[in-house]
Amino acid sequence: MSLPLFAQVKKTIIPDLKGYVTLQCDFHIHTVFSDGTVWPTVRIDEAYREGLDAISITEHLEGRRYLQDFEKLSGLPINGISHHVSYELALPSAKERNIILIRGSEITRTMPPGHSNAIFLSNSNELANKPDYMDAFRAAKAQNAFFFWNHPGWLAQQPDTTLWFDEHTKLVEQGMMHGIEVVNGSYFPEAHRWCLEKKLTFIGNSDVHAPMPPFAPGQHRTMTLVFAKERTAEAIHEALVERRTAIYHGEYIIGEEKYLKELFENALEINVTKTGNTAQITLKNKSDLTFRLKSMGHDARLVYFRNTDIDPVIVLPQSTLTIPVRLNNGITGGDVNFSVENFMVQPNTGMKYTIRIN
Amino acid sequence: MSLPLFAQVKKTIIPDLKGYVTLQCDFHIHTVFSDGTVWPTVRIDEAYREGLDAISITEHLEGRRYLQDFEKLSGLPINGISHHVSYELALPSAKERNIILIRGSEITRTMPPGHSNAIFLSNSNELANKPDYMDAFRAAKAQNAFFFWNHPGWLAQQPDTTLWFDEHTKLVEQGMMHGIEVVNGSYFPEAHRWCLEKKLTFIGNSDVHAPMPPFAPGQHRTMTLVFAKERTAEAIHEALVERRTAIYHGEYIIGEEKYLKELFENALEINVTKTGNTAQITLKNKSDLTFRLKSMGHDARLVYFRNTDIDPVIVLPQSTLTIPVRLNNGITGGDVNFSVENFMVQPNTGMKYTIRIN
Amino acid sequence: MSLPLFAQVKKTIIPDLKGYVTLQCDFHIHTVFSDGTVWPTVRIDEAYREGLDAISITEHLEGRRYLQDFEKLSGLPINGISHHVSYELALPSAKERNIILIRGSEITRTMPPGHSNAIFLSNSNELANKPDYMDAFRAAKAQNAFFFWNHPGWLAQQPDTTLWFDEHTKLVEQGMMHGIEVVNGSYFPEAHRWCLEKKLTFIGNSDVHAPMPPFAPGQHRTMTLVFAKERTAEAIHEALVERRTAIYHGEYIIGEEKYLKELFENALEINVTKTGNTAQITLKNKSDLTFRLKSMGHDARLVYFRNTDIDPVIVLPQSTLTIPVRLNNGITGGDVNFSVENFMVQPNTGMKYTIRIN
Amino acid sequence: MSLPLFAQVKKTIIPDLKGYVTLQCDFHIHTVFSDGTVWPTVRIDEAYREGLDAISITEHLEGRRYLQDFEKLSGLPINGISHHVSYELALPSAKERNIILIRGSEITRTMPPGHSNAIFLSNSNELANKPDYMDAFRAAKAQNAFFFWNHPGWLAQQPDTTLWFDEHTKLVEQGMMHGIEVVNGSYFPEAHRWCLEKKLTFIGNSDVHAPMPPFAPGQHRTMTLVFAKERTAEAIHEALVERRTAIYHGEYIIGEEKYLKELFENALEINVTKTGNTAQITLKNKSDLTFRLKSMGHDARLVYFRNTDIDPVIVLPQSTLTIPVRLNNGITGGDVNFSVENFMVQPNTGMKYTIRIN
């Protein structure tokens, strides 16, 4: 049985930042050892196919649905088995394929505080069977875990509005919530705001339960981009704590402006030439990212793209786009302002950028 | 030489309205007889391949660029030849392939009034060689032409803002501007507003000059949907005058709310079922249109899709989508409100729609 | 996490035969309960997405690789658990989605006789733990199983040539081999010949172990087409015994000529018209099958497609193709002969077909 | 009007040969100045988009269909105009885009000798209006033209069999036929044989009349690969005379074995490693070519791919494939023989190749 053509190995090309490598990570994944439907090794196969650097398989500590089904049919007492099984089953394949596998678990509770992931654990079993959720968090903290709140706007737990509860304030204060999934399935603008206001880490994950389908060119799972000092688990942990991340979701990059600006500038080679009263801005996209540019207010004597409400100027992956700019009324230069609609630096707000013509 | 697979004949399935057939039309097209690069018959081949109902080949009356190039090389006096050549060359093929070919011309002037198309002409030559643009318009009016303003926000003529000039007011008053291209290349929100305010006809065209590439499934040229009493040139003319049109551009439908609402309701079979405290809304899309739904304010006891800022709920062509709605606090029904983001009934504003659960 | 666009539900449209419905079946599938990597319910999800009618999950009786891995880590005694677990886990979902789930097992031995599937079992456990393979076969026969030899040309067991052993003769004689997988991964021409000579049933399966990727339009898993009296497990069993099957592999249909001819004629609406000395053969393909036509010897006065060695005439799915035929030297008709290269009725040999022009 | 995604500029990556650059050429193209349907500049746009190195626009000297249509409608006397118009219209764009534009014409006669192209002409007009075709050939020869016979198996002129006529022998003898289109629309195996036997140049062209559609990845027009000393018109002429060409048609490369072998070896990086009784052959494809491998007779103790009748082993563009080879019975090496089905070195016969394991 051969895979169709689009199943080839394909890593999305995303630039590094100065002093950091950009690692492509997914910290929220399930297998048959909770309520996912694939064997743990499949998660390594998928990550390999997509060129990911690191993943964490984060089974629900509470609710191992498929093991329970198995228990009913086999009569074997599943409840007592270790919460490390999926990690251990995946590890040999992860090593062989050079994927960083991070031990993690999902602490699965009603809202508040809802579901949270604790990753970089040394022993998941110590978090299990804790009636009080704080006991689970404390056990993870004792292992120096990195914590993030999962899907804060999940309909099942936040039916109407994405709310912040006192319990979340306490978790942050006690070092038990370092980040939030700003994207999980869909984008949560409230979580975007909280990350900025409360200085939390931007996290985006797939939370995949079913098999991950092969992606067509230009498509990819939701992931966290981690700007790490090197390609190791320790460096990822350090970067997460220091909030050096961004989220890659569809065509969107979401995160702190300083990182998005540097990604933009490292992905695009920008050149300006001038002939008579026309300047040419050439954007050479060396990455697999897409850029959606929208016009903004500017000196009316600079004439360039307009009417971008539903028709943004698109710089496609690995492509070069030339933007002509007419210089009217004898001016010789000025500021070409635009927003990069899909580089979100505030909730639902694209990054502003200026290219100066001298 | 065989065409690649995606070049098959494919008509986009768009529902009819009550009492009207929905005709797919492109009223702005060029060939080598002005500044397009293909022979007129190619425009029929392309229209046939895409399943269009009607086209108008609208050569520039002023500026027959390729004929001028030919004149230089051949020494033949091109200037005097009829403005009907491209129509006459295309007509036999149009008849054979059952495509309605409408005689038209582009009156090509600086702003104001810019470029305008006059279609349903009987004699294009009478519009040519008129130093005063009003003479050209009058000649067309004498032939009972339907007029529309082309690409009102074209950068080359409207460098900064899409402006309405006194000349346009006069044209409207004298029955020489019945519609505006709200989309040509890109969408012009100001033109959208003018069509609504001044009761002008919504027009969207391709303005194609190069060969039209074959479209991948789900892609199509920008076109005007005409809701006509029958599939004839006369019925199209009548519908244009009566403003029974909408624009189909990318995934967008743009026009009067009454038509968009009926398109929506005729494209989708909507069913609501209820089991306990959960209702299921099933949207069966019988068309090739896509619908992008965004959540809106509603009774908080009705729990359904949220977090649609950049992740709208998408009803794909020829597909069925089921939306679960939880009924909290013992209610048995209510209004499920949402906007159809890509059905634009006001400038940059999607159509609101409510499905009532009883 | 939303699936990419190509993951929509899509059933391949294949015509029925007179008196029979054409059912799309895969009788060789694995899950984590032998050496596959997905939970049994995934197999139902995949079959549903592809529009299959029936599947059999056929775990290896010998070699439950993933359970053994699990045993090592959990300490639980896996060996004793029932061979029915994967069937029972999948059954509720199969019922809900109206997919016929057939109980089966793979009797997994060295060559000869290699691997065989026994399907329509009532109790798989009775086949397990039999040192002598014949005891396993006898236990299955006592349950009235349908047997077929799996991947007879598998490199690991048939390194050089696809051989028939005396053991296979005995199995056939004793009613323990009714069919052969003529396709599993790739096509085995020897098995094709054996099916014809020994009157065995044509079987083609996916033998999928990993998650089945979503298929792009026109792609599909290898499957057995079963021409059954009705859409029930019993009718499938009857059809298999009566050898009413064909194999659908890539663009190929493989099987008895009588079935392939009827499929061809039911998929294509063939019309011949004549104007002067030219006839037009119109082939309207109402199915999702592709037809690859190659020219063959014919009366030289009939002039139609030639030079098809590597450029066959292709009738695409759901398309209409018109073939012009010139009638030279005053003839008024004759036989248009061709082969349907991808309808294989003998090993590596396409079906001959003639359309008569009167 | 924006092109869909697949219209990006894309040059097929094909390796150079030792001492030669591999140029991608199409020597048979029409525009509105004979019976094509696009303006000559479109042919440059298309060539640019596809990354071609050189084209020749070869209008029919006899039969300028669209000019005749134009003459009827315009009343202008078209017949006398120069046969250089399309060349001259295309030349400025060709220079700007760095595409080598070769002056050529199609001598368009009934069979024998059928249609022939003469390229590298200095004056096409001298070939026109010659009732005797030999006069046209002689005029071209006086200009040192390179000649090739077009579509020798064209149904309209060769209804039954692809025949060689005495007239062709004479043309070869008199230096008026240097090559043959072995592919034009489809592949002509007889022409393949003639090129080998008579030492003629392998030519493959698109003969495009309609607009060339944008190609999806992996698709391309039929072209002649010219192995030239440098990227100049003169070097192409020299290479054509010296028969240093191959044809690229679909996934097929057709030509002399020595060139195909070198293309194969320059496209693929072949490595063999050995662990115990298993060798691994790694084929790293650095090109955009596809390779379809079929098994052949070999020492039975070497166990590698089989069952390739309709399922060849495919090395995809820009991909790496690893082929395991088991070494049975204690052997430590041997010859892995296979054919590259789509590298045709004899009519309908793929190139044999051996990788030796030491």
Side-chain angles (χ1 to χ4, degrees):
Chain A
M1 230 269 327
S2 60
L3 289 179
L5 193 62
F6 45 70
Q8 302 303 306
V9 174
K10 178 75 180 74
K11 184 184 183 76
T12 307
I13 296 172
I14 302 176
D16 292 331
L17 303 192
K18 188 172 164 52
Y20 304 113
V21 290
T22 298
L23 302 180
Q24 301 180 30
C25 308
D26 186 356
F27 301 121
H28 193 165
I29 291 175
H30 296 276
T31 80
V32 297
F33 289 93
S34 57
D35 58 348
T37 58
V38 304
W39 199 250
T41 52
V42 170
R43 297 311 187 193
I44 303 298
D45 295 342
E46 293 166 348
Y48 178 73
R49 188 172 66 194
E50 298 169 34
L52 296 191
D53 294 288
I55 66 169
S56 185
I57 299 176
T58 51
E59 312 291 7
H60 297 287
L61 290 165
E62 301 82 4
R64 299 198 275 183
R65 172 177 161 193
Y66 287 116
L67 286 179
Q68 285 155 7
D69 288 352
F70 180 63
E71 184 171 38
K72 269 183 235 157
L73 291 167
S74 69
L76 296 174
I78 294 305
N79 195 46
I81 72 155
S82 166
H83 290 269
H84 295 167
V85 172
S86 60
Y87 176 85
E88 287 166 15
L89 286 169
L91 192 59
S93 173
K95 283 181 174 163
E96 187 188 343
R97 299 194 157 194
N98 193 24
I99 288 165
I100 298 168
L101 184 63
I102 296 162
R103 201 188 289 267
S105 287
E106 184 163 11
I107 307 169
T108 311
R109 306 298 170 114
T110 54
M111 187 70 71
H115 297 194
S116 295
N117 272 8
I119 60 175
F120 295 102
L121 295 173
S122 48
N123 188 338
S124 293
N125 292 325
E126 294 179 0
L127 285 64
N129 304 314
K130 306 287 188 195
D132 182 344
Y133 73 82
M134 281 304 289
D135 290 335
F137 276 80
R138 280 188 208 105
K141 185 161 195 282
Q143 297 175 29
N144 194 30
F146 179 86
F147 294 91
F148 55 89
W149 181 10
N150 295 340
H151 42 71
W154 185 32
L155 207 61
Q157 293 195 329
Q158 301 259 40
D160 182 31
T161 319
T162 300
L163 299 174
W164 179 274
F165 292 84
D166 289 346
E167 285 78 354
H168 299 119
T169 303
K170 282 179 204 147
L171 286 172
V172 170
E173 286 169 358
Q174 300 182 30
M176 293 172 181
M177 190 206 296
H178 305 102
I180 313 183
E181 281 186 344
V182 175
V183 183
N184 172 321
S186 61
Y187 164 72
F188 309 114
E190 298 86 350
H192 189 162
R193 187 163 51 76
W194 296 332
C195 276
L196 292 172
E197 286 176 3
K198 300 172 196 292
K199 303 287 179 206
L200 298 172
T201 304
F202 281 83
I203 303 285
N205 293 317
S206 72
D207 197 5
V208 63
H209 286 71
M212 182 72 79
F215 289 102
Q219 294 188 307
H220 62 92
R221 70 168 83 188
T222 296
M223 63 178 79
T224 304
L225 304 179
V226 176
F227 310 117
K229 288 180 182 164
E230 56 178 26
R231 193 183 184 280
T232 63
E234 294 69 30
I236 291 172
H237 197 166
E238 188 269 348
L240 287 173
V241 169
E242 297 299 324
R243 306 182 60 236
R244 290 200 311 276
T245 66
I247 298 162
Y248 184 33
H249 170 61
E251 293 188 345
Y252 286 85
I253 301 278
I254 301 161
E256 292 275 352
E257 181 157 11
K258 61 183 170 186
Y259 299 129
L260 270 56
K261 194 172 171 214
E262 192 176 347
L263 275 179
F264 180 84
E265 292 180 340
N266 291 359
L268 293 178
E269 201 173 290
I270 302 176
N271 280 295
V272 179
T273 59
K274 217 161 50 176
T275 322
N277 66 344
T278 303
Q280 308 276 352
I281 298 174
T282 301
L283 304 175
K284 182 176 175 182
N285 184 0
K286 299 167 293 183
S287 77
D288 286 342
L289 302 175
T290 293
F291 302 90
R292 303 166 66 90
L293 313 183
K294 291 202 167 180
S295 54
M296 281 180 50
H298 61 273
D299 181 337
R301 294 171 300 179
L302 289 159
V303 181
Y304 57 94
F305 58 88
R306 293 208 300 122
N307 302 308
T308 52
D309 289 324
I310 65 172
D311 302 289
V313 172
I314 298 178
V315 189
L316 290 169
Q318 306 292 349
S319 298
T320 298
L321 184 79
T322 299
I323 299 168
V325 181
R326 211 168 68 204
L327 305 165
N328 277 350
N329 296 91
I331 58 166
T332 59
D335 284 352
V336 173
N337 304 323
F338 54 88
S339 77
V340 188
E341 178 198 15
N342 63 319
F343 269 50
M344 286 213 292
V345 295
Q346 295 284 337
N348 289 319
T349 306
M351 178 178 74
K352 294 181 175 60
Y353 199 82
T354 296
I355 296 174
R356 167 164 283 269
I357 299 175
N358 293 309
Chain B
M1 230 270 326
S2 60
L3 289 179
L5 193 63
F6 44 71
Q8 302 303 307
V9 174
K10 177 76 180 74
K11 185 183 184 76
T12 308
I13 295 172
I14 302 176
D16 292 330
L17 303 192
K18 187 171 165 53
Y20 304 113
V21 289
T22 298
L23 302 180
Q24 302 180 28
C25 307
D26 186 356
F27 301 121
H28 193 166
I29 290 176
H30 296 276
T31 80
V32 298
F33 290 94
S34 59
D35 58 348
T37 58
V38 304
W39 199 249
T41 51
V42 171
R43 297 310 186 195
I44 303 299
D45 295 343
E46 293 165 349
Y48 178 73
R49 186 173 66 196
E50 299 168 34
L52 296 191
D53 294 289
I55 65 169
S56 186
I57 299 177
T58 53
E59 312 292 6
H60 297 288
L61 290 166
E62 301 82 5
R64 300 197 274 182
R65 172 178 162 190
Y66 287 117
L67 286 179
Q68 286 156 6
D69 288 351
F70 180 62
E71 185 171 36
K72 269 182 236 159
L73 291 168
S74 69
L76 296 174
I78 295 306
N79 195 46
I81 71 155
S82 165
H83 290 268
H84 296 167
V85 173
S86 61
Y87 176 85
E88 287 166 16
L89 286 168
L91 191 59
S93 172
K95 282 181 175 162
E96 187 188 343
R97 297 191 158 197
N98 193 25
I99 288 165
I100 298 168
L101 183 63
I102 296 162
R103 203 188 288 266
S105 288
E106 184 163 13
I107 307 169
T108 311
R109 306 298 170 113
T110 54
M111 186 71 72
H115 298 194
S116 294
N117 273 6
I119 60 175
F120 296 104
L121 295 173
S122 48
N123 187 339
S124 293
N125 292 323
E126 294 179 359
L127 285 65
N129 303 313
K130 304 288 189 194
D132 181 344
Y133 73 82
M134 282 303 290
D135 289 336
F137 276 80
R138 279 185 210 108
K141 183 161 198 281
Q143 296 175 30
N144 196 27
F146 180 85
F147 295 89
F148 55 89
W149 182 10
N150 294 341
H151 41 70
W154 186 31
L155 207 61
Q157 294 195 327
Q158 301 259 40
D160 183 33
T161 319
T162 300
L163 298 174
W164 178 273
F165 293 82
D166 289 347
E167 284 80 353
H168 299 118
T169 303
K170 282 178 205 147
L171 287 172
V172 170
E173 286 169 359
Q174 300 183 30
M176 293 173 183
M177 191 205 295
H178 304 103
I180 313 183
E181 281 187 345
V182 175
V183 183
N184 172 321
S186 61
Y187 163 72
F188 309 115
E190 299 86 351
H192 190 161
R193 186 163 50 77
W194 296 332
C195 276
L196 292 173
E197 286 176 1
K198 299 171 198 291
K199 302 289 180 204
L200 299 172
T201 305
F202 282 83
I203 302 286
N205 292 318
S206 74
D207 197 5
V208 64
H209 286 71
M212 183 72 80
F215 289 102
Q219 294 189 307
H220 61 93
R221 71 168 82 188
T222 297
M223 64 178 78
T224 304
L225 303 180
V226 176
F227 310 117
K229 288 180 182 163
E230 57 179 24
R231 193 184 184 279
T232 63
E234 295 67 32
I236 291 172
H237 197 166
E238 187 267 349
L240 287 173
V241 169
E242 297 299 325
R243 306 181 61 236
R244 290 200 311 275
T245 66
I247 298 162
Y248 184 33
H249 170 61
E251 292 188 346
Y252 286 85
I253 300 279
I254 301 161
E256 293 275 352
E257 181 156 11
K258 62 183 169 186
Y259 299 130
L260 271 55
K261 193 172 173 213
E262 192 175 347
L263 276 179
F264 180 86
E265 292 181 338
N266 291 359
L268 294 177
E269 202 174 290
I270 303 175
N271 280 295
V272 179
T273 59
K274 218 162 47 175
T275 324
N277 67 344
T278 303
Q280 308 275 351
I281 298 174
T282 302
L283 303 175
K284 181 176 176 183
N285 184 1
K286 300 167 292 182
S287 77
D288 287 341
L289 302 174
T290 293
F291 301 90
R292 303 167 64 90
L293 314 183
K294 290 201 166 183
S295 53
M296 281 179 51
H298 61 271
D299 182 336
R301 295 170 299 179
L302 287 160
V303 182
Y304 56 94
F305 59 88
R306 292 207 303 120
N307 303 308
T308 52
D309 288 324
I310 65 172
D311 302 288
V313 172
I314 297 178
V315 189
L316 290 169
Q318 307 292 349
S319 297
T320 298
L321 184 79
T322 298
I323 299 168
V325 181
R326 212 170 65 207
L327 305 166
N328 276 351
N329 297 90
I331 58 167
T332 59
D335 284 352
V336 172
N337 303 323
F338 55 89
S339 77
V340 187
E341 176 200 17
N342 63 320
F343 269 49
M344 287 213 291
V345 295
Q346 295 285 337
N348 290 318
T349 306
M351 178 179 75
K352 294 181 174 62
Y353 198 83
T354 296
I355 296 173
R356 167 163 283 271
I357 299 174
N358 293 310
Chain C
M1 230 271 326
S2 59
L3 288 179
L5 192 62
F6 44 71
Q8 302 303 308
V9 175
K10 179 74 180 74
K11 185 184 183 78
T12 307
I13 296 171
I14 302 175
D16 292 331
L17 303 192
K18 187 171 165 54
Y20 305 112
V21 290
T22 298
L23 303 180
Q24 302 180 28
C25 307
D26 186 357
F27 301 122
H28 192 166
I29 290 175
H30 296 276
T31 81
V32 299
F33 290 94
S34 57
D35 57 350
T37 58
V38 304
W39 198 251
T41 52
V42 171
R43 298 311 187 193
I44 302 298
D45 295 342
E46 293 165 348
Y48 178 73
R49 188 173 65 196
E50 299 168 34
L52 297 192
D53 295 289
I55 66 169
S56 185
I57 299 176
T58 52
E59 313 291 7
H60 298 288
L61 290 166
E62 301 83 5
R64 299 197 275 182
R65 172 178 161 191
Y66 287 117
L67 286 179
Q68 284 155 8
D69 289 351
F70 180 63
E71 184 171 39
K72 268 182 237 158
L73 291 167
S74 69
L76 295 174
I78 294 305
N79 195 46
I81 71 156
S82 165
H83 290 268
H84 295 166
V85 172
S86 60
Y87 176 87
E88 287 166 16
L89 286 169
L91 191 59
S93 173
K95 281 181 177 163
E96 187 188 344
R97 298 193 157 196
N98 193 24
I99 288 165
I100 298 167
L101 183 63
I102 296 162
R103 202 188 289 265
S105 288
E106 184 163 11
I107 306 169
T108 310
R109 306 298 170 116
T110 54
M111 186 70 70
H115 297 194
S116 295
N117 273 7
I119 60 175
F120 295 103
L121 294 173
S122 48
N123 187 339
S124 293
N125 292 325
E126 294 179 0
L127 285 64
N129 303 313
K130 305 287 189 196
D132 181 345
Y133 74 83
M134 283 303 290
D135 290 335
F137 276 79
R138 279 187 209 106
K141 184 160 197 279
Q143 296 175 32
N144 194 28
F146 180 85
F147 294 91
F148 54 90
W149 181 11
N150 295 341
H151 42 70
W154 185 31
L155 207 61
Q157 292 195 328
Q158 301 260 41
D160 183 31
T161 318
T162 301
L163 298 174
W164 179 274
F165 293 83
D166 289 347
E167 285 79 354
H168 299 119
T169 303
K170 282 180 204 146
L171 287 172
V172 171
E173 286 169 0
Q174 300 182 31
M176 294 173 181
M177 190 204 298
H178 305 102
I180 313 183
E181 280 186 346
V182 175
V183 183
N184 172 322
S186 62
Y187 164 71
F188 309 114
E190 300 86 350
H192 190 161
R193 187 164 50 79
W194 296 332
C195 276
L196 292 173
E197 287 176 2
K198 299 172 197 291
K199 303 287 179 205
L200 298 172
T201 304
F202 281 83
I203 302 285
N205 293 318
S206 73
D207 197 5
V208 63
H209 286 72
M212 183 72 80
F215 288 102
Q219 294 188 306
H220 61 93
R221 71 169 82 189
T222 297
M223 63 179 78
T224 304
L225 304 179
V226 176
F227 310 117
K229 288 180 182 163
E230 57 178 23
R231 194 183 182 280
T232 63
E234 294 68 30
I236 291 172
H237 198 164
E238 188 269 350
L240 287 173
V241 170
E242 296 300 324
R243 305 182 61 237
R244 289 198 312 274
T245 67
I247 298 162
Y248 184 33
H249 170 61
E251 292 188 344
Y252 287 85
I253 301 278
I254 300 161
E256 292 275 353
E257 181 155 12
K258 63 184 169 185
Y259 299 129
L260 270 56
K261 192 171 174 215
E262 192 175 348
L263 276 179
F264 181 85
E265 293 180 340
N266 290 0
L268 294 178
E269 201 173 291
I270 302 175
N271 279 295
V272 180
T273 59
K274 217 161 49 174
T275 324
N277 66 345
T278 303
Q280 307 275 353
I281 298 174
T282 302
L283 303 175
K284 181 176 177 183
N285 184 1
K286 299 168 290 181
S287 78
D288 287 341
L289 302 175
T290 293
F291 301 89
R292 303 167 65 91
L293 313 183
K294 290 201 166 181
S295 53
M296 281 180 50
H298 60 272
D299 182 336
R301 295 171 297 178
L302 288 160
V303 181
Y304 56 94
F305 58 89
R306 292 207 300 122
N307 303 307
T308 52
D309 288 324
I310 64 173
D311 302 288
V313 171
I314 298 178
V315 189
L316 290 169
Q318 306 292 349
S319 298
T320 298
L321 184 79
T322 299
I323 298 169
V325 182
R326 213 169 65 206
L327 304 166
N328 277 350
N329 296 91
I331 58 166
T332 58
D335 284 352
V336 173
N337 303 323
F338 55 88
S339 77
V340 187
E341 176 199 15
N342 62 320
F343 269 51
M344 287 211 292
V345 296
Q346 294 285 337
N348 290 318
T349 306
M351 178 177 75
K352 294 181 175 60
Y353 198 81
T354 296
I355 296 173
R356 168 163 281 270
I357 299 174
N358 294 309
Chain D
M1 230 271 326
S2 59
L3 290 179
L5 193 63
F6 45 71
Q8 303 302 307
V9 175
K10 178 76 181 72
K11 185 184 183 74
T12 307
I13 295 172
I14 302 176
D16 293 330
L17 303 192
K18 187 171 165 54
Y20 304 113
V21 289
T22 298
L23 302 180
Q24 302 181 27
C25 307
D26 186 355
F27 301 121
H28 193 165
I29 290 176
H30 296 276
T31 80
V32 297
F33 290 93
S34 59
D35 58 348
T37 57
V38 304
W39 199 250
T41 51
V42 170
R43 298 310 186 194
I44 303 299
D45 295 343
E46 293 165 350
Y48 177 74
R49 188 172 66 195
E50 298 168 35
L52 296 192
D53 294 289
I55 65 169
S56 186
I57 298 177
T58 52
E59 312 292 6
H60 298 288
L61 290 166
E62 301 82 5
R64 300 197 274 181
R65 171 178 162 193
Y66 287 117
L67 286 180
Q68 287 156 4
D69 289 352
F70 179 62
E71 185 172 37
K72 268 183 237 159
L73 292 168
S74 69
L76 295 174
I78 295 306
N79 195 46
I81 72 154
S82 166
H83 290 269
H84 296 167
V85 172
S86 61
Y87 177 85
E88 287 165 15
L89 286 168
L91 191 59
S93 172
K95 283 182 175 162
E96 188 188 343
R97 298 193 157 195
N98 194 24
I99 288 165
I100 298 168
L101 183 63
I102 295 162
R103 203 187 288 267
S105 287
E106 183 162 12
I107 306 169
T108 312
R109 307 298 170 114
T110 54
M111 187 70 73
H115 297 195
S116 296
N117 273 7
I119 61 175
F120 295 103
L121 294 173
S122 48
N123 187 337
S124 293
N125 291 324
E126 294 179 0
L127 285 64
N129 303 312
K130 305 288 189 196
D132 181 343
Y133 73 83
M134 282 304 288
D135 290 334
F137 276 79
R138 280 187 208 107
K141 185 161 196 277
Q143 297 176 29
N144 195 29
F146 180 86
F147 295 90
F148 54 88
W149 181 11
N150 294 341
H151 42 69
W154 185 31
L155 207 60
Q157 293 195 327
Q158 302 259 42
D160 182 31
T161 318
T162 301
L163 298 174
W164 179 273
F165 292 84
D166 289 346
E167 285 78 354
H168 299 118
T169 302
K170 283 178 204 147
L171 286 172
V172 170
E173 286 169 359
Q174 301 183 29
M176 293 172 181
M177 191 206 295
H178 305 102
I180 313 183
E181 281 187 345
V182 175
V183 183
N184 172 321
S186 62
Y187 163 72
F188 309 115
E190 299 86 350
H192 190 162
R193 186 163 51 76
W194 296 331
C195 276
L196 292 172
E197 287 176 1
K198 299 171 197 290
K199 303 289 181 203
L200 298 172
T201 304
F202 281 83
I203 303 285
N205 292 317
S206 73
D207 197 5
V208 63
H209 287 71
M212 182 72 80
F215 289 102
Q219 293 189 308
H220 62 93
R221 72 168 83 189
T222 297
M223 63 179 79
T224 304
L225 304 179
V226 177
F227 310 116
K229 289 180 182 163
E230 57 178 24
R231 193 182 184 279
T232 63
E234 295 67 31
I236 291 172
H237 197 166
E238 188 268 349
L240 287 173
V241 169
E242 297 299 325
R243 307 182 59 237
R244 291 200 310 276
T245 66
I247 298 162
Y248 184 34
H249 170 62
E251 293 188 344
Y252 286 84
I253 301 279
I254 301 161
E256 292 276 352
E257 180 155 11
K258 62 183 169 187
Y259 299 128
L260 271 57
K261 193 173 174 214
E262 192 175 348
L263 276 179
F264 181 84
E265 293 180 340
N266 291 359
L268 293 178
E269 202 173 290
I270 303 175
N271 281 295
V272 179
T273 59
K274 218 161 49 174
T275 323
N277 66 345
T278 303
Q280 307 275 350
I281 298 174
T282 302
L283 303 175
K284 181 176 176 182
N285 184 1
K286 300 167 293 183
S287 78
D288 286 342
L289 302 175
T290 293
F291 300 90
R292 302 167 66 90
L293 314 183
K294 291 202 165 180
S295 54
M296 280 180 50
H298 61 272
D299 181 337
R301 294 170 299 177
L302 288 160
V303 181
Y304 57 95
F305 58 88
R306 291 206 305 120
N307 303 308
T308 53
D309 288 323
I310 64 171
D311 301 289
V313 172
I314 297 178
V315 188
L316 290 170
Q318 306 292 349
S319 297
T320 298
L321 184 79
T322 298
I323 299 168
V325 181
R326 211 169 67 205
L327 304 166
N328 276 351
N329 297 90
I331 58 166
T332 59
D335 284 351
V336 173
N337 303 323
F338 54 88
S339 77
V340 187
E341 177 199 16
N342 62 321
F343 269 50
M344 286 212 291
V345 296
Q346 295 285 336
N348 290 318
T349 306
M351 179 179 74
K352 295 181 174 60
Y353 199 82
T354 296
I355 295 173
R356 167 163 282 271
I357 299 174
N358 293 309

